[in-house]
Amino acid sequence: MVSRLLIALMICGLVGGMLFFTGCRRDGGHHPDPQKIVAKLSDKLDLDESQRDRLTEMVTDLEAEIVALHEDEGDSRQAAIEMIRSEAVNATDLQALYGSKREMVDLMAEKVIPYLVEFHALLTPEQRETLAAKIEDHQAHRRCRFFKQ
């Protein structure tokens, strides 16, 4: 009895994790408005006009690339839903679903990293410190209680 309960909990945890990592969010997911990103960063970091213009270009370019990568994300969500409804969950299918999500994350990293490097180079030391402090503050207030140190 206990082993069945443990197996059921593990399956629920795996499926829940898959749904979480496929970007299931109440606030609309991964596609924030690029202009809002630029406006918020410009305001918080006090960017000058040339920094703001380049950031606008970068965010617009990056958003187009990321949207293209997300086009097939619905397929992995539907596969996860079908697994939940099935009588049994196959470990091989779960691994394949996880692998496809991992590939997408790797492709996103390939696209995002060059932009992050360029953005970092655009910032003054004071702006970098402000950004780092904002990220630290966000981490302190937004992280799940299970991950707090």
Side-chain angles (χ1 to χ4, degrees):
M1 180 68 174
V2 173
S3 64
R4 284 186 180 180
L5 179 60
L6 184 59
I7 290 171
L9 287 173
M10 287 177 23
I11 289 172
C12 288
L14 285 172
V15 173
M18 286 186 327
L19 291 173
F20 176 77
F21 288 112
T22 58
C24 183
R25 293 174 45 188
R26 285 180 182 232
D27 65 353
H30 301 286
H31 307 292
D33 180 14
Q35 299 308 319
K36 287 182 181 178
I37 293 170
V38 171
K40 190 171 190 175
L41 283 172
S42 294
D43 181 52
K44 301 283 184 191
L45 301 177
D46 194 27
L47 299 179
D48 65 31
E49 188 174 340
S50 66
Q51 289 173 315
R52 190 174 25 257
D53 290 346
R54 182 58 193 134
L55 179 60
T56 300
E57 292 172 15
M58 291 167 50
V59 168
T60 302
D61 293 346
L62 185 59
E63 199 244 352
E65 293 183 42
I66 297 299
V67 167
L69 288 174
H70 277 288
E71 286 178 355
D72 67 340
E73 189 175 30
D75 295 338
S76 64
R77 281 200 193 111
Q78 188 58 42
I81 291 168
E82 289 172 13
M83 284 184 200
I84 291 169
R85 287 190 171 127
S86 69
E87 291 294 319
V89 176
N90 181 326
T92 304
D93 293 342
L94 285 172
Q95 289 171 341
L97 189 60
Y98 174 74
S100 67
K101 183 63 179 180
R102 196 167 163 185
E103 287 174 15
M104 190 171 85
V105 169
D106 289 343
L107 286 171
M108 276 194 228
E110 288 177 22
K111 304 287 185 186
V112 170
I113 288 172
Y115 288 102
L116 292 175
V117 170
E118 183 179 351
F119 180 64
H120 183 270
L122 287 174
L123 299 177
T124 65
E126 295 81 16
Q127 290 169 325
R128 287 194 292 264
E129 182 54 40
T130 301
L131 180 59
K134 296 283 183 193
I135 292 170
E136 286 175 336
D137 185 56
H138 179 78
Q139 291 286 37
H141 293 94
R142 300 288 182 181
R143 292 189 72 189
C144 177
R145 67 172 187 227
F146 296 113
F147 298 111
K148 285 196 175 185
Q149 297 172 346

